[in-house]
Amino acid sequence: MGQEEKIREGFLAAFGYLQDKITIQRSRRIFVTVDIEKFAEVFDFAVKKLGFSVLCVITGLDEGDRLTFIYHLDDGSGVMLNLKTGVSKERPVIKTVTEYFPSAEVYERELVDLLGAKVEGLLPGYRYPLPDGWPSGEYPLRKDWIPENKNG
Amino acid sequence: MAERDKFKIPVGPQHPSLKEPTSFSVALRGEEITGIDVRLGYNHRGIEKACEERTYIQDMYLIERICGICSHSHSTCFIQGVEEIAKIEVPKRALYIRTLVGELERIHSHLLWLGVAGHEIGFDTLLMYTWRDREIVMDVLALLTGNRVNYGINTIGGVRRDITREQMKEVTRAMDSLEERTKYYIKIASEETTIIKRLSGVGVLSKEDALRFCVVGPTARASGVDHDVRRDDPYAAYSEISFNVITDNHNDVYGRTVVRLKELMESYKIIRQLLEKLPEGPVSVKVPRKIPAGEVVSRYEAPRGEDLHYIKANGTDKPERVKVRAPTLANIQAVKHMLKNRLLADLPIVVAAIDPCFSCTDRLISVRGEDEETPGIMTWENLHSYSVEWYRKRGLDFSKLK
């Protein structure tokens, strides 16, 4: 059994509801989709029990009426776990993971600025990456956001 | 400590010790740093959004311009992801040439860094020497690609230029010279008291903290973290090449210097193997403009550490989403920790020691008007007439082109 299969088995032993939610895309690439309600326990398990101790980055996507977030985690040997979760745009709330990874702060601020996510538990600090005078409610990475000077 | 004993000073966004704009708010007690906040974003250009509105091939050129130093790193990271989604088998010769240019880029970046580090500690002779030697590798890059930076060697499905036997001989000659010079720099780093004393114990990051902050590249490896994407998640031709991942246990700026110097020696070794094993055959395959729906995470060991791109394709000729995580964004948080309770005078070299690149980090562009007195945004029409005028002065008339 390859290491990717072992990771799948590890997830399934702990969380039977992930049965159809795990995709081994190729060697060293695993995608797991988790409902937001179950995200905290699956994330905790991946970090503490399966050894995914490096957070590479968090990607945010605008997928129509939902925002999707992908937590790209590495186990130190090159295997990448991509943990996906999603929230509705009406209530785009996720919890911070800075208590696991202090470096997540800047990735989460980016989700706040560019996609309009609300990150519970994220301590106050400088915004990133938009300037201080940026108008509120304008989220550049949302699909319906069009830059004023799009054509120059 | 009484509040009156604390003093806060801004360093940046424009500051002589910084090569690019970023801002540190430094809390001091005398010369000692008691706290530090970093403000990023001054270079934000909106490249990820721009990628969604352009075709894959346009994006490749745009992404190459995220960074002026590790341009090939970004373009390779992007296209190898696109090729993976489209299930394109890239010819082996092309993969070898990509790897070759990637290692040449690492050499120029590490030599550039060594010069900057020398400058930051007042050792400008080292800056002059390393930047003179760096010209050797810049000439090789210009010979192979036509450019000193933003090489434009990549294309989706391969590379745009082949390499000739004569060019290979030039590369080998350059590697011989650079290897001799690097041995000299390693000797300096091992014996020169000024360097050893100025860099040792400065910007300390223990292995535990390096893991906690998820730092990457030479910054991680100098704290004993044995991780290198080239070995752990091999791409391009690295699975067929033998090389060592350099680690060091000094955990400080001195260790980061040692790691980069030894990595230079590994790069020469890698380049010699690439030239010896370079397979015959085509250098590119034709790729359809439309890329099938799918998603991919592409990783690349850039000179400063792991570059990561997430790409989502939707079946058209434009991506649905492109996410870029450059190494500096992963390393910058650890700088705050490295500087805590250290002297203010250490700030420039500690910041420089992660080899920061804030253009990569922020993914931005600054556009100024032609008239320096009234800087502003240049419109597409302005840009077009500017370029027509530029060529007209040189005897070429492109005014009928729209």
Side-chain angles (χ1 to χ4, degrees):
Chain A
M1 191 192 297
Q3 56 194 124
E4 297 81 7
E5 278 300 328
K6 280 185 194 158
I7 292 161
R8 184 214 289 264
E9 295 299 317
F11 271 124
L12 290 180
F15 311 109
Y17 56 81
L18 291 177
Q19 184 65 44
D20 306 320
K21 307 286 187 186
I22 305 175
T23 310
I24 298 174
Q25 195 186 49
R26 67 161 169 86
S27 61
R28 302 184 296 277
R29 290 290 183 280
I30 305 164
F31 283 79
V32 178
T33 307
V34 193
D35 290 341
I36 189 70
E37 295 77 23
K38 303 282 186 192
F39 177 78
E41 62 180 23
V42 175
F43 187 85
D44 186 83
F45 181 80
V47 175
K48 291 184 177 164
K49 304 287 184 205
L50 295 181
F52 284 93
S53 57
V54 179
L55 176 71
C56 296
V57 73
I58 310 169
T59 299
L61 298 100
D62 178 354
E63 299 195 304
D65 56 353
R66 290 176 70 74
L67 295 179
T68 297
F69 305 106
I70 312 175
Y71 294 71
H72 304 281
L73 296 155
D74 185 277
D75 68 349
S77 76
V79 176
M80 177 158 276
L81 169 68
N82 304 283
L83 207 53
K84 271 189 187 185
T85 191
V87 293
S88 72
K89 274 188 186 167
E90 281 79 49
R91 199 175 173 279
V93 182
I94 51 173
K95 286 198 172 65
T96 182
V97 293
T98 45
E99 70 262 36
Y100 296 90
F101 301 106
S103 55
E105 179 191 333
V106 72
Y107 308 140
E108 291 180 341
R109 292 205 192 287
E110 197 170 316
L111 299 177
V112 172
D113 260 19
L114 300 180
L115 279 154
K118 291 184 174 45
V119 184
E120 280 182 358
L122 184 59
L123 294 174
Y126 291 123
R127 68 183 305 170
Y128 177 75
L130 297 173
D132 289 333
W134 187 262
S136 63
E138 300 269 332
Y139 306 116
L141 278 184
R142 289 209 178 175
K143 290 288 180 185
D144 56 4
W145 190 87
I146 311 287
E148 269 178 30
N149 59 347
K150 188 182 175 194
N151 299 312
Chain B
M1 185 176 55
E3 198 56 35
R4 64 174 182 275
D5 296 332
K6 288 185 189 169
F7 198 76
K8 265 199 171 180
I9 60 161
V11 178
Q14 304 298 331
H15 192 275
S17 73
L18 300 169
K19 307 289 172 279
E20 288 180 274
T22 190
S23 174
F24 297 92
S25 176
V26 188
L28 290 173
R29 182 176 49 207
E31 285 295 308
E32 186 190 340
I33 297 173
T34 55
I36 186 162
D37 277 331
V38 186
R39 172 80 160 98
L40 301 165
Y42 297 95
N43 270 349
H44 189 67
R45 289 164 287 175
I47 283 181
E48 291 177 9
K49 181 79 174 179
C51 282
E52 295 172 12
E53 292 158 6
R54 287 163 176 79
T55 64
Y56 287 97
I57 202 81
Q58 289 174 317
D59 286 345
M60 186 189 71
Y61 291 105
L62 181 62
I63 281 172
E64 186 155 16
R65 280 150 182 81
I66 286 176
C67 178
I69 300 172
C70 35
S71 55
H72 183 75
S73 305
H74 280 293
S75 79
T76 307
C77 194
F78 175 70
I79 58 170
Q80 69 189 13
V82 176
E83 287 159 356
E84 188 177 328
I85 296 177
K87 297 188 172 56
I88 292 158
E89 194 155 334
V90 180
K92 273 209 164 176
R93 190 174 175 89
L95 293 177
Y96 271 66
I97 294 173
R98 270 184 201 171
T99 313
L100 172 65
V101 174
E103 287 305 316
L104 290 169
E105 182 175 75
R106 191 180 317 278
I107 294 167
H108 106 65
S109 180
H110 279 10
L111 285 173
L112 180 127
W113 178 83
L114 192 59
V116 170
H119 174 69
E120 298 291 6
I121 59 169
F123 191 179
D124 277 329
T125 313
L126 186 63
L127 165 71
M128 302 299 171
Y129 271 30
T130 49
W131 283 31
R132 179 196 65 189
D133 295 339
R134 178 173 167 265
E135 284 305 304
I136 299 172
V137 73
M138 300 311 279
D139 286 346
V140 169
L141 282 162
L143 175 77
L144 298 184
T145 71
N147 291 314
R148 286 166 61 88
V149 291
N150 295 342
Y151 317 108
I153 189 81
N154 277 327
T155 190
I156 301 170
V159 290
R160 294 172 61 234
R161 288 181 182 216
D162 203 350
I163 173 171
T164 64
R165 293 240 156 248
E166 289 68 38
Q167 287 172 334
M168 286 164 70
K169 281 181 198 157
E170 282 294 320
V171 178
T172 307
R173 265 197 292 274
M175 291 309 108
D176 292 345
S177 311
L178 285 167
E179 185 166 12
E180 282 309 306
R181 296 301 299 162
T182 306
K183 281 181 186 163
Y184 173 64
Y185 296 132
I186 291 176
K187 185 172 148 60
I188 287 181
S190 335
E191 295 175 6
E192 170 60 45
T193 322
T194 321
I195 287 202
I196 298 169
K197 287 206 163 182
R198 184 66 188 92
L199 302 182
S200 298
V202 174
V204 174
L205 186 72
S206 67
K207 185 175 181 180
E208 292 69 33
D209 285 330
L211 292 168
R212 188 163 64 91
F213 285 106
C214 305
V215 296
V216 294
T219 306
R221 292 192 284 275
S223 291
V225 179
D226 186 15
H227 180 62
D228 189 316
V229 180
R230 292 177 291 174
R231 181 199 61 197
D232 300 337
D233 196 358
Y235 55 90
Y238 286 109
S239 58
E240 298 176 13
I241 301 294
S242 138
F243 63 98
N244 296 317
V245 172
I246 305 294
T247 57
D248 189 87
N249 295 315
H250 282 89
N251 303 347
D252 55 13
V253 178
Y254 183 68
R256 281 157 226 155
T257 311
V258 171
V259 164
R260 290 191 177 96
L261 281 168
K262 289 186 178 171
E263 283 189 359
L264 282 170
M265 299 299 283
E266 291 302 310
S267 290
Y268 307 141
K269 199 166 98 184
I270 292 170
I271 287 173
R272 289 202 181 96
Q273 289 179 64
L274 289 167
L275 295 175
E276 269 169 34
K277 296 182 176 178
L278 185 68
E280 293 298 329
V283 293
S284 65
V285 289
K286 204 166 165 50
V287 177
R289 283 173 64 87
K290 289 184 180 174
I291 302 297
E295 62 184 341
V296 75
V297 181
S298 176
R299 309 172 81 180
Y300 183 103
E301 188 69 32
R304 291 161 175 75
E306 183 192 348
D307 191 12
L308 185 146
H309 289 203
Y310 167 84
I311 304 156
K312 185 173 183 185
N314 55 14
T316 69
D317 61 350
K318 293 173 185 157
E320 179 75 14
R321 175 84 169 96
V322 177
K323 167 75 191 164
V324 176
R325 201 296 315 273
T328 302
L329 197 59
N331 286 340
I332 194 72
Q333 300 293 319
V335 169
K336 293 196 270 188
H337 178 78
M338 292 176 198
L339 283 166
K340 192 94 192 278
N341 302 324
R342 301 296 311 182
L343 298 178
L344 179 64
D346 290 344
L347 188 140
I349 185 61
V350 170
V351 173
I354 67 159
D355 199 3
C357 179
F358 296 110
S359 284
C360 278
T361 303
D362 295 339
R363 294 142 279 149
L364 320 173
I365 284 174
S366 159
V367 185
R368 295 175 73 87
E370 190 182 350
D371 181 358
E372 284 298 316
E373 294 299 311
T374 55
I377 301 292
M378 192 181 265
T379 64
W380 180 252
E381 286 74 20
N382 291 149
L383 192 63
H384 181 253
S385 30
Y386 174 81
S387 65
V388 167
E389 194 50 39
W390 194 89
Y391 280 107
R392 201 202 306 275
K393 283 181 192 162
R394 288 156 181 81
L396 291 165
D397 186 4
F398 290 119
S399 57
K400 290 192 175 56
L401 284 179
K402 286 291 169 192

